[in-house]
Amino acid sequence: MKNITERHQFILQELKKAGSVNIQELSDLMQVSGVTIRKDLKLLEDKNLLFRTHGGGSISNPYAVERPINEKEFINAEQKQSIAKAALKLIRQNDSIMIGSGTTVFELARCLQPAKQITVITPAVKVTLELSNRPNVEVLQLGGLIRQNSSSVAGSYAEYILDHISCGILFIGVDGIDFDFGLSISNLTEAGLNQKMIATAQSVAVMADHTKFGKRGIGKICDLDQIQYIITDSGVSVDTVKSLEDRGIKVIVADK
């Protein structure tokens, strides 16, 4: 068994080589318990030498940073478009749906062309503008102060409206999907409204590209067991898909 100094040096060496480390692998290599490894990772994180992640540690910061919506729309644009097309299959005719804020769910609004009447509830001004003249689409815009970074409303007015309506399915974007922390976004102001939208919908579909896995935003919006679908792109790992499906979540991997 290695002493604490030797263990820490070994962990940092492995981290330098691979960019990330796994608790089970470290436990097997050093012949110590997983509990010991978790304590070691916590100590190294306290010294700003790594970031703890689900099942291990990483050099990369897992915490999401809020970016303006006009900057985010150019990040992984092709993946977002394919995710939106896959999400369309979850929309039934004559349905009421909710579309949250964010660039990935905005792509859903762009490609929504229903053959029959549908009601779309949204806090996102861009979604409303996109759909306001779309055939067979009736839009209910939630009210409140508009946040410049997201072009979306937040606050008590929007939450009050949600207390008096229902919808079939919510399509929501997130900044982080973490197996321990759950779903999160990078702005606390909008976290409460997202929580309310999740409670209002009969089912929840998360639209997120593969880079959101293993990340955390500052504001938690729900646990993984509160969602029914995750729609993502082909960059997601097989292990991640299996772990999600083991939790009862239907994972839809969009075609390129």
Side-chain angles (χ1 to χ4, degrees):
M1 179 183 290
K2 297 176 181 289
N3 63 40
I4 187 170
T5 301
E6 291 173 331
R7 290 199 310 272
H8 287 189
Q9 288 175 343
F10 183 80
I11 290 170
L12 294 174
Q13 287 171 0
E14 292 297 303
L15 198 61
K16 187 176 180 181
K17 285 192 294 184
S20 62
V21 290
N22 177 274
I23 290 173
Q24 187 58 56
E25 291 176 358
L26 291 174
S27 177
D28 293 340
L29 287 168
M30 291 191 283
Q31 297 184 330
V32 295
S33 70
V35 172
T36 298
I37 298 298
R38 288 186 178 87
K39 289 179 180 177
D40 288 338
L41 294 177
K42 173 68 168 62
L43 289 170
L44 290 170
E45 184 178 50
D46 290 343
K47 295 178 182 178
N48 297 317
L49 295 172
L50 56 75
F51 296 98
R52 284 186 297 162
T53 61
H54 175 70
S58 173
I59 292 175
S60 302
N61 187 347
Y63 296 98
V65 177
E66 185 179 23
R67 293 185 174 96
I69 192 168
N70 59 352
E71 178 184 329
K72 291 168 69 176
E73 66 179 313
F74 299 107
I75 301 172
N76 298 324
E78 290 185 11
Q79 288 93 331
K80 290 173 182 177
Q81 290 165 10
S82 64
I83 289 168
K85 290 175 183 176
L88 282 173
K89 299 173 184 177
L90 295 178
I91 300 175
R92 299 185 301 275
Q93 298 297 340
N94 301 306
D95 207 351
S96 63
I97 69 170
M98 197 178 307
I99 299 179
S101 62
T103 54
T104 307
V105 290
F106 176 65
E107 289 299 327
L108 176 62
R110 273 183 169 166
C111 62
L112 183 61
Q113 299 284 349
K116 295 185 179 180
Q117 189 74 20
I118 189 172
T119 300
V120 176
I121 306 153
T122 184
V125 175
K126 286 190 69 175
V127 171
T128 295
L129 291 173
E130 180 70 23
L131 295 176
S132 58
N133 293 312
R134 189 74 53 84
N136 296 319
V137 178
E138 184 176 65
V139 181
L140 172 57
Q141 169 72 59
L142 298 179
L145 292 174
I146 299 171
R147 294 195 63 253
Q148 191 172 19
N149 266 15
S150 63
S151 296
S152 179
V153 301
S156 59
Y157 291 116
E159 293 176 23
Y160 173 80
I161 294 172
L162 290 172
D163 278 332
H164 297 83
I165 60 175
S166 177
C167 80
I169 184 167
L170 163 66
F171 294 93
I172 193 169
V174 296
D175 292 316
I177 302 173
D178 183 273
F179 283 93
D180 295 322
F181 192 60
L183 304 183
S184 56
I185 59 174
S186 52
N187 183 271
L188 280 174
T189 306
E190 293 183 21
L193 182 60
N194 278 267
Q195 292 164 1
K196 195 75 172 180
M197 290 192 297
I198 289 167
T200 300
Q202 294 175 26
S203 58
V204 180
V206 177
M207 298 172 61
D209 66 72
H210 70 278
T211 64
K212 304 297 176 64
F213 292 97
K215 295 284 187 180
R216 294 186 182 187
I218 189 171
K220 178 176 178 177
I221 59 174
C222 72
D223 292 315
L224 284 170
D225 61 7
Q226 292 176 259
I227 64 173
Q228 286 70 46
Y229 305 95
I230 290 181
I231 311 159
T232 188
D233 62 82
S234 57
V236 67
S237 72
V238 174
D239 289 341
T240 296
V241 172
K242 185 179 184 305
S243 295
L244 291 167
E245 290 180 338
D246 287 345
R247 291 175 178 237
I249 299 169
K250 170 66 175 174
V251 180
I252 301 170
V253 180
D255 297 328
K256 290 183 179 180

